[in-house]
């Protein structure tokens, strides 16, 4: 249950706000001028707020859709990302959000139509233009609150050159299953092996449940994708990743899989320092990492070994053109 | 530790009794202390509230990320006298600045917005609580604690039907006393949560032992703290081994500890 809902005064009467309030009648409503008043102050603690996050309803004014990093893509002609939400229902210990934001409250930008207007200016006929959602949170985990996917799909149906990636660790696929599938809307499920899920992905549904949701969606005709990202090194990682790929890919014929991306754990150094401060007792941050350039990551050799292993394993199930590497930031 | 700021002695009394606080020999503001709580009586107005909060912070040993609560009476247009509310938004009417205390645990009281005014206001035009201190308290307490741990609890003393007049001390006590128990429970819950932010005890112990035994520069102290934190995360019940701690200089110790830690493979919790 969401205990508090902060609302920017400007959007108090927005129909989407009204609808959310109707579904959360027991929440206390607090008005604010701009969401940053609640979300940005220094004297806040992400770890404490994660105990009981509130929802902040806001309007996004600028930079609604942004160019994706050059290294990111799944075969399209141009790549953009957008964030209708900041923060996430889940609590993965390796997640960069906890290092980036001071507040763990969920911010929802309710002016979805403005995102679509911004996208409209970027789509060129005959060119595949990708819009990646879920950069600053999970695209579907809060679907019952946000109605985001359900609201975006009609536009994508009208714009076949525009491709949407819904990136998720959730099993919230109801909004998709309720309608006929769209070839240009890809639901990308992120996975780590069961041992990593258990140790680090707090509140995330089990690998089994997510695999089940993915299969259900694929069988209903929706394109699905796998995001094996970030790769987390641990003893027996080879055995565990091999097992994960077997579980996921033996159940799902390759022609139902749009793409697989993989990439190692890499974190901008300032975010990593914040995460260390938030969780001083966390062994995940305490060993086996090094600072390379502006990033904290595994030593290059270990990183390469792990990436090569996973690429080789994935190639046993999928043609090469469906497998992509995602290397955040520069240096090899 | 709980830190309480009230404007008047009558607001403080039920809490002094409940927490068994003793008067301290302070100049400037009346300060009370007990085993697990501090209290200061600020006098009326946000400037006094800010100054008293800063005074108590110094007096309590400059604690970081502790629980702070401003307790007192306030006006409200509609609510009955004696009704308690915890603030979910505090606005300084003069500057227009607002703070949003983060309520990360269930509270025994409903919440309401609170406006701090500079002069007594009998208009009851606001749809929230009206007081004269909370904004000064928030502005100051948030310099040394986090928004989840800094709160204002007010009990309604006047409303449109019973407009402001200065209530007698026994009246004020009778409004506040019934909430002392719940206030303590609420603050204890926050304290438990605040423990998540503390440096693990093992790190502090080893840090104190090593810095007492040899000289570390300020930057070496920071590095030591960071390395000990990593050590402790990986070896929760272990001292750093003798070959490391018995190095002749601080620099050699830090390098030896870093070398040991960097040689370890990544660990899953
Ligand atoms: S699901 Fe993704 S966005 Fe959410 S906490 Fe985990 S890593 Fe972060």
């Amino acid at each position: 249950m969401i205990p508090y809902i902060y609302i920017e005064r400007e959007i108090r009467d927005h129909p989407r706000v009204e609808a959310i309030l109707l579904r959360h009648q027991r929440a206390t409503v607090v008005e604010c001028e701009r969401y940053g008043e609640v979300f940005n102050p220094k004297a806040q603690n992400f770890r404490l707020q994660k105990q009981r996050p509130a929802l902040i309803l806001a309007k996004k004014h600028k930079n609604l859709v942004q160019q994706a990093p050059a290294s990111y893509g799944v075969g399209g002609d141009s790549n953009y990302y957008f964030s209708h939400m900041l923060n996430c229902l889940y609590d993965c210990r390796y997640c960069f959000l906890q290092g980036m934001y001071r507040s763990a409250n969920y911010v929802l930008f309710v002016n979805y139509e403005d995102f679509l207007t911004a996208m409209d200016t970027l789509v060129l006929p005959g060119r595949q233009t990708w819009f990646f959602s879920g950069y600053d949170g999970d695209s579907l985990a809060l679907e019952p609150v946000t109605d985001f996917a359900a609201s975006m799909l009609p536009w994508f149906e009208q714009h076949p050159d525009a491709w949407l990636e819904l990136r998720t660790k959730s099993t919230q696929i109801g909004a998709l299953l309720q309608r006929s599938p769209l070839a240009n809307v890809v639901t990308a499920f992120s996975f780590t092996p069961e041992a990593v899920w258990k140790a680090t992905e707090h509140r995330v549904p089990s690998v089994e449940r997510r695999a089940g949701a993915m299969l259900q969606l694929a069988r209903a005709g929706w394109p699905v994708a796998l995001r094996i990202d970030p790769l987390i090194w641990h003893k027996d990682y080879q055995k565990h990743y091999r097992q994960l790929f077997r579980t996921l890919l033996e159940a799902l014929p390759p022609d139902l899989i749009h793409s697989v991306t993989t990439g190692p754990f890499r974190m901008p150094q300032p975010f990593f320092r914040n995460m260390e401060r938030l969780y001083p007792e966390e062994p995940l941050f305490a060993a086996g990492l090094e600072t390379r350039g502006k990033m904290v990551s595994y030593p290059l050799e270990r990183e390469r070994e792990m990436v090569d292993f996973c690429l080789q394993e994935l190639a046993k199930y999928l043609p090469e053109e469906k497998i992509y590497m995602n290397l955040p930031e520069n240096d090899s | 530790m709980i830190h309480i700021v009230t404007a008047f002695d009558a607001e403080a009394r039920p809490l002094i009794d409940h927490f068994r606080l003793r008067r301290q020999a302070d100049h400037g503001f009346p300060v009370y202390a007990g085993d697990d709580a501090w209290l200061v009586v600020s006098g009326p107005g946000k400037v006094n509230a800010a100054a008293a909060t800063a005074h108590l912070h110094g007096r309590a040993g400059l604690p970081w990320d502790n629980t702070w609560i401003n307790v007192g009476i306030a006006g409200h247009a509609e609510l009955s006298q004696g009704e308690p509310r915890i603030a979910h938004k505090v606005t300084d009417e003069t500057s227009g600045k607002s703070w949003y205390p983060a309520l990360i645990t269930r509270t025994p009281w409903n919440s309401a917005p609170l406006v701090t005014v500079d002069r007594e206001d009998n208009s009851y035009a606001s749809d929230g609580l009206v007081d004269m201190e909370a904004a000064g308290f928030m502005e100051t307490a948030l310099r040394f604690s986090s928004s989840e741990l800094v709160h204002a609890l007010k009990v309604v003393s006047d409303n449109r039907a019973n407009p402001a007049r200065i209530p007698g001390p026994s009246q004020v006590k009778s409004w506040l006393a019934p909430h002392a128990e719940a206030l303590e429970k609420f603050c204890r819950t926050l304290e438990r949560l605040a423990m998540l932010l503390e440096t693990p005890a093992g790190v502090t112990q080893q840090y104190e032992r090593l810095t007492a035994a040899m000289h570390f520069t300020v930057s070496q102290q920071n590095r030591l703290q960071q390395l000990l934190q990593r050590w402790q995360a990986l070896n929760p019940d272990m001292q750093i081994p003798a070959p490391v701690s018995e190095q002749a200089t601080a620099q050699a110790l830090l390098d030896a500890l870093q070398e040991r830690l960097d040689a370890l493979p990544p660990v899953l919790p």
Side-chain angles (χ1 to χ4, degrees), chain A residues 40 78 85 107 119 123 149 154 157 159-160 166 179 184 187 190 196 206 240 258 286 291 315:
Chain A
N40 291 339
S78 38
M85 265 202 94
V107 178
M119 287 175 192
V123 181
E157 187 171 21
H159 295 78
L166 297 165
R179 51 160 302 152
N184 56 338
T187 307
S190 301
V196 179
S206 69
H240 291 155
H258 172 272
T291 304

PDB file of all heavy atoms in Angstrom, chain A residues 40 78 85 107 119 123 149 154 157 159-160 166 179 184 187 190 196 206 240 258 286 291 315:
ATOM      1  N   ASN A  40      14.376  15.985  -3.972  1.00  0.00           N
ATOM      2  CA  ASN A  40      15.793  16.355  -4.069  1.00  0.00           C
ATOM      3  C   ASN A  40      16.508  16.828  -2.809  1.00  0.00           C
ATOM      4  O   ASN A  40      17.740  16.896  -2.821  1.00  0.00           O
ATOM      5  CB  ASN A  40      15.975  17.445  -5.139  1.00  0.00           C
ATOM      6  CG  ASN A  40      15.718  16.905  -6.531  1.00  0.00           C
ATOM      7  OD1 ASN A  40      15.796  15.699  -6.748  1.00  0.00           O
ATOM      8  ND2 ASN A  40      15.368  17.775  -7.453  1.00  0.00           N
ATOM      9  N   SER A  78      18.041   4.116 -34.784  1.00  0.00           N
ATOM     10  CA  SER A  78      18.367   5.110 -33.757  1.00  0.00           C
ATOM     11  C   SER A  78      17.737   4.703 -32.431  1.00  0.00           C
ATOM     12  O   SER A  78      16.702   4.010 -32.408  1.00  0.00           O
ATOM     13  CB  SER A  78      17.933   6.516 -34.172  1.00  0.00           C
ATOM     14  OG  SER A  78      16.718   6.473 -34.848  1.00  0.00           O
ATOM     15  N   MET A  85       9.162   7.150 -14.965  1.00  0.00           N
ATOM     16  CA  MET A  85       9.242   6.935 -13.518  1.00  0.00           C
ATOM     17  C   MET A  85      10.668   7.039 -13.048  1.00  0.00           C
ATOM     18  O   MET A  85      11.589   6.649 -13.764  1.00  0.00           O
ATOM     19  CB  MET A  85       8.768   5.516 -13.182  1.00  0.00           C
ATOM     20  CG  MET A  85       7.335   5.455 -12.806  1.00  0.00           C
ATOM     21  SD  MET A  85       6.966   3.988 -11.843  1.00  0.00           S
ATOM     22  CE  MET A  85       7.134   4.636 -10.194  1.00  0.00           C
ATOM     23  N   VAL A 107       8.766   8.528  -8.246  1.00  0.00           N
ATOM     24  CA  VAL A 107       8.233   9.695  -8.962  1.00  0.00           C
ATOM     25  C   VAL A 107       7.581   9.176 -10.239  1.00  0.00           C
ATOM     26  O   VAL A 107       8.213   8.434 -10.999  1.00  0.00           O
ATOM     27  CB  VAL A 107       9.350  10.686  -9.340  1.00  0.00           C
ATOM     28  CG1 VAL A 107       8.775  11.867 -10.119  1.00  0.00           C
ATOM     29  CG2 VAL A 107      10.079  11.179  -8.091  1.00  0.00           C
ATOM     30  N   MET A 119       8.334  11.824 -28.865  1.00  0.00           N
ATOM     31  CA  MET A 119       8.756  10.688 -29.694  1.00  0.00           C
ATOM     32  C   MET A 119       8.353  10.914 -31.150  1.00  0.00           C
ATOM     33  O   MET A 119       9.094  10.574 -32.075  1.00  0.00           O
ATOM     34  CB  MET A 119       8.090   9.403 -29.193  1.00  0.00           C
ATOM     35  CG  MET A 119       8.669   8.919 -27.889  1.00  0.00           C
ATOM     36  SD  MET A 119       7.716   7.500 -27.301  1.00  0.00           S
ATOM     37  CE  MET A 119       8.334   7.380 -25.642  1.00  0.00           C
ATOM     38  N   VAL A 123      10.631   9.986 -34.901  1.00  0.00           N
ATOM     39  CA  VAL A 123      10.424   8.798 -35.741  1.00  0.00           C
ATOM     40  C   VAL A 123      10.472   9.183 -37.220  1.00  0.00           C
ATOM     41  O   VAL A 123       9.778  10.118 -37.633  1.00  0.00           O
ATOM     42  CB  VAL A 123       9.058   8.146 -35.425  1.00  0.00           C
ATOM     43  CG1 VAL A 123       8.844   6.897 -36.277  1.00  0.00           C
ATOM     44  CG2 VAL A 123       8.960   7.800 -33.953  1.00  0.00           C
ATOM     45  N   ALA A 149       1.917   1.162 -19.515  1.00  0.00           N
ATOM     46  CA  ALA A 149       1.987   0.387 -20.754  1.00  0.00           C
ATOM     47  C   ALA A 149       0.659   0.483 -21.502  1.00  0.00           C
ATOM     48  O   ALA A 149       0.624   0.758 -22.711  1.00  0.00           O
ATOM     49  CB  ALA A 149       2.325  -1.067 -20.445  1.00  0.00           C
ATOM     50  N   PRO A 154      -1.519   2.105 -27.678  1.00  0.00           N
ATOM     51  CA  PRO A 154      -2.244   2.538 -28.874  1.00  0.00           C
ATOM     52  C   PRO A 154      -1.387   3.400 -29.811  1.00  0.00           C
ATOM     53  O   PRO A 154      -1.471   3.276 -31.029  1.00  0.00           O
ATOM     54  CB  PRO A 154      -3.419   3.347 -28.297  1.00  0.00           C
ATOM     55  CG  PRO A 154      -3.614   2.786 -26.921  1.00  0.00           C
ATOM     56  CD  PRO A 154      -2.247   2.419 -26.447  1.00  0.00           C
ATOM     57  N   GLU A 157       0.916   1.231 -31.745  1.00  0.00           N
ATOM     58  CA  GLU A 157       0.154   0.496 -32.767  1.00  0.00           C
ATOM     59  C   GLU A 157       0.041   1.345 -34.039  1.00  0.00           C
ATOM     60  O   GLU A 157       0.123   0.837 -35.160  1.00  0.00           O
ATOM     61  CB  GLU A 157      -1.239   0.172 -32.208  1.00  0.00           C
ATOM     62  CG  GLU A 157      -2.028  -0.727 -33.118  1.00  0.00           C
ATOM     63  CD  GLU A 157      -3.309  -1.221 -32.449  1.00  0.00           C
ATOM     64  OE1 GLU A 157      -3.766  -0.575 -31.482  1.00  0.00           O
ATOM     65  OE2 GLU A 157      -3.841  -2.242 -32.909  1.00  0.00           O
ATOM     66  N   HIS A 159       2.220   3.597 -34.955  1.00  0.00           N
ATOM     67  CA  HIS A 159       3.547   4.006 -35.442  1.00  0.00           C
ATOM     68  C   HIS A 159       4.473   2.793 -35.512  1.00  0.00           C
ATOM     69  O   HIS A 159       5.318   2.581 -34.648  1.00  0.00           O
ATOM     70  CB  HIS A 159       4.160   5.057 -34.504  1.00  0.00           C
ATOM     71  CG  HIS A 159       3.394   6.332 -34.472  1.00  0.00           C
ATOM     72  ND1 HIS A 159       2.228   6.493 -33.775  1.00  0.00           N
ATOM     73  CD2 HIS A 159       3.631   7.517 -35.091  1.00  0.00           C
ATOM     74  CE1 HIS A 159       1.782   7.721 -33.947  1.00  0.00           C
ATOM     75  NE2 HIS A 159       2.599   8.362 -34.745  1.00  0.00           N
ATOM     76  N   PRO A 160       4.328   1.997 -36.577  1.00  0.00           N
ATOM     77  CA  PRO A 160       5.091   0.744 -36.647  1.00  0.00           C
ATOM     78  C   PRO A 160       6.605   0.933 -36.747  1.00  0.00           C
ATOM     79  O   PRO A 160       7.359   0.002 -36.459  1.00  0.00           O
ATOM     80  CB  PRO A 160       4.532   0.057 -37.902  1.00  0.00           C
ATOM     81  CG  PRO A 160       3.749   1.088 -38.623  1.00  0.00           C
ATOM     82  CD  PRO A 160       3.382   2.172 -37.683  1.00  0.00           C
ATOM     83  N   LEU A 166       9.997  -2.417 -23.094  1.00  0.00           N
ATOM     84  CA  LEU A 166       9.544  -2.369 -21.700  1.00  0.00           C
ATOM     85  C   LEU A 166      10.488  -3.261 -20.915  1.00  0.00           C
ATOM     86  O   LEU A 166      10.487  -4.479 -21.112  1.00  0.00           O
ATOM     87  CB  LEU A 166       8.111  -2.904 -21.585  1.00  0.00           C
ATOM     88  CG  LEU A 166       7.048  -2.117 -22.336  1.00  0.00           C
ATOM     89  CD1 LEU A 166       5.759  -2.930 -22.443  1.00  0.00           C
ATOM     90  CD2 LEU A 166       6.783  -0.790 -21.651  1.00  0.00           C
ATOM     91  N   ARG A 179      -4.748  -7.327 -24.618  1.00  0.00           N
ATOM     92  CA  ARG A 179      -4.991  -6.846 -25.976  1.00  0.00           C
ATOM     93  C   ARG A 179      -4.166  -7.658 -26.979  1.00  0.00           C
ATOM     94  O   ARG A 179      -3.340  -8.468 -26.601  1.00  0.00           O
ATOM     95  CB  ARG A 179      -4.675  -5.358 -26.077  1.00  0.00           C
ATOM     96  CG  ARG A 179      -3.299  -4.978 -25.537  1.00  0.00           C
ATOM     97  CD  ARG A 179      -2.868  -3.665 -26.076  1.00  0.00           C
ATOM     98  NE  ARG A 179      -2.848  -3.741 -27.518  1.00  0.00           N
ATOM     99  CZ  ARG A 179      -3.037  -2.719 -28.330  1.00  0.00           C
ATOM    100  NH1 ARG A 179      -3.255  -1.531 -27.845  1.00  0.00           N
ATOM    101  NH2 ARG A 179      -2.981  -2.876 -29.647  1.00  0.00           N
ATOM    102  N   ASN A 184       6.044  -4.353 -32.546  1.00  0.00           N
ATOM    103  CA  ASN A 184       7.063  -3.334 -32.237  1.00  0.00           C
ATOM    104  C   ASN A 184       7.105  -2.962 -30.738  1.00  0.00           C
ATOM    105  O   ASN A 184       7.642  -1.926 -30.374  1.00  0.00           O
ATOM    106  CB  ASN A 184       6.849  -2.067 -33.071  1.00  0.00           C
ATOM    107  CG  ASN A 184       5.456  -1.496 -32.893  1.00  0.00           C
ATOM    108  OD1 ASN A 184       4.526  -2.213 -32.501  1.00  0.00           O
ATOM    109  ND2 ASN A 184       5.284  -0.212 -33.165  1.00  0.00           N
ATOM    110  N   THR A 187       8.956  -6.769 -24.684  1.00  0.00           N
ATOM    111  CA  THR A 187       9.109  -6.799 -23.222  1.00  0.00           C
ATOM    112  C   THR A 187      10.409  -7.520 -22.906  1.00  0.00           C
ATOM    113  O   THR A 187      10.581  -8.692 -23.248  1.00  0.00           O
ATOM    114  CB  THR A 187       7.911  -7.514 -22.564  1.00  0.00           C
ATOM    115  OG1 THR A 187       6.719  -6.890 -23.057  1.00  0.00           O
ATOM    116  CG2 THR A 187       7.970  -7.383 -21.050  1.00  0.00           C
ATOM    117  N   SER A 190      14.766  -8.937 -17.326  1.00  0.00           N
ATOM    118  CA  SER A 190      16.146  -9.008 -16.811  1.00  0.00           C
ATOM    119  C   SER A 190      16.284 -10.187 -15.863  1.00  0.00           C
ATOM    120  O   SER A 190      15.420 -10.390 -15.004  1.00  0.00           O
ATOM    121  CB  SER A 190      16.496  -7.761 -16.008  1.00  0.00           C
ATOM    122  OG  SER A 190      16.363  -6.638 -16.803  1.00  0.00           O
ATOM    123  N   VAL A 196      22.102 -15.323  -7.340  1.00  0.00           N
ATOM    124  CA  VAL A 196      22.266 -13.855  -7.298  1.00  0.00           C
ATOM    125  C   VAL A 196      20.936 -13.210  -6.936  1.00  0.00           C
ATOM    126  O   VAL A 196      20.871 -12.264  -6.142  1.00  0.00           O
ATOM    127  CB  VAL A 196      22.782 -13.330  -8.657  1.00  0.00           C
ATOM    128  CG1 VAL A 196      22.929 -11.813  -8.626  1.00  0.00           C
ATOM    129  CG2 VAL A 196      24.104 -13.987  -9.016  1.00  0.00           C
ATOM    130  N   SER A 206      10.511 -14.466  -8.146  1.00  0.00           N
ATOM    131  CA  SER A 206      11.536 -15.492  -8.394  1.00  0.00           C
ATOM    132  C   SER A 206      11.821 -15.645  -9.889  1.00  0.00           C
ATOM    133  O   SER A 206      11.010 -15.273 -10.737  1.00  0.00           O
ATOM    134  CB  SER A 206      11.054 -16.833  -7.841  1.00  0.00           C
ATOM    135  OG  SER A 206       9.971 -17.292  -8.626  1.00  0.00           O
ATOM    136  N   HIS A 240      26.067 -21.532 -12.703  1.00  0.00           N
ATOM    137  CA  HIS A 240      24.777 -20.874 -12.473  1.00  0.00           C
ATOM    138  C   HIS A 240      24.242 -20.166 -13.720  1.00  0.00           C
ATOM    139  O   HIS A 240      23.048 -20.217 -14.000  1.00  0.00           O
ATOM    140  CB  HIS A 240      24.894 -19.886 -11.304  1.00  0.00           C
ATOM    141  CG  HIS A 240      25.089 -20.573  -9.990  1.00  0.00           C
ATOM    142  ND1 HIS A 240      25.703 -19.971  -8.915  1.00  0.00           N
ATOM    143  CD2 HIS A 240      24.758 -21.823  -9.576  1.00  0.00           C
ATOM    144  CE1 HIS A 240      25.735 -20.810  -7.892  1.00  0.00           C
ATOM    145  NE2 HIS A 240      25.173 -21.952  -8.284  1.00  0.00           N
ATOM    146  N   HIS A 258      13.192 -11.860 -29.259  1.00  0.00           N
ATOM    147  CA  HIS A 258      13.638 -10.748 -30.093  1.00  0.00           C
ATOM    148  C   HIS A 258      15.152 -10.569 -30.010  1.00  0.00           C
ATOM    149  O   HIS A 258      15.841 -10.442 -31.023  1.00  0.00           O
ATOM    150  CB  HIS A 258      12.941  -9.449 -29.674  1.00  0.00           C
ATOM    151  CG  HIS A 258      13.500  -8.256 -30.368  1.00  0.00           C
ATOM    152  ND1 HIS A 258      14.579  -7.549 -29.882  1.00  0.00           N
ATOM    153  CD2 HIS A 258      13.175  -7.674 -31.556  1.00  0.00           C
ATOM    154  CE1 HIS A 258      14.877  -6.573 -30.725  1.00  0.00           C
ATOM    155  NE2 HIS A 258      14.037  -6.625 -31.740  1.00  0.00           N
ATOM    156  N   ALA A 286      32.483  -5.024  -1.183  1.00  0.00           N
ATOM    157  CA  ALA A 286      33.722  -4.975  -0.389  1.00  0.00           C
ATOM    158  C   ALA A 286      34.907  -5.670  -1.045  1.00  0.00           C
ATOM    159  O   ALA A 286      36.046  -5.454  -0.647  1.00  0.00           O
ATOM    160  CB  ALA A 286      33.482  -5.579   0.992  1.00  0.00           C
ATOM    161  N   THR A 291      38.501   0.458  -9.458  1.00  0.00           N
ATOM    162  CA  THR A 291      38.082   1.676 -10.158  1.00  0.00           C
ATOM    163  C   THR A 291      38.886   1.776 -11.450  1.00  0.00           C
ATOM    164  O   THR A 291      40.110   1.778 -11.418  1.00  0.00           O
ATOM    165  CB  THR A 291      38.340   2.912  -9.282  1.00  0.00           C
ATOM    166  OG1 THR A 291      37.667   2.700  -8.044  1.00  0.00           O
ATOM    167  CG2 THR A 291      37.822   4.182  -9.932  1.00  0.00           C
ATOM    168  N   ALA A 315      25.291 -18.355 -27.357  1.00  0.00           N
ATOM    169  CA  ALA A 315      25.379 -18.724 -28.774  1.00  0.00           C
ATOM    170  C   ALA A 315      24.957 -20.179 -29.014  1.00  0.00           C
ATOM    171  O   ALA A 315      24.649 -20.569 -30.139  1.00  0.00           O
ATOM    172  CB  ALA A 315      26.803 -18.490 -29.276  1.00  0.00           C
TER     173      ALA A 315
END
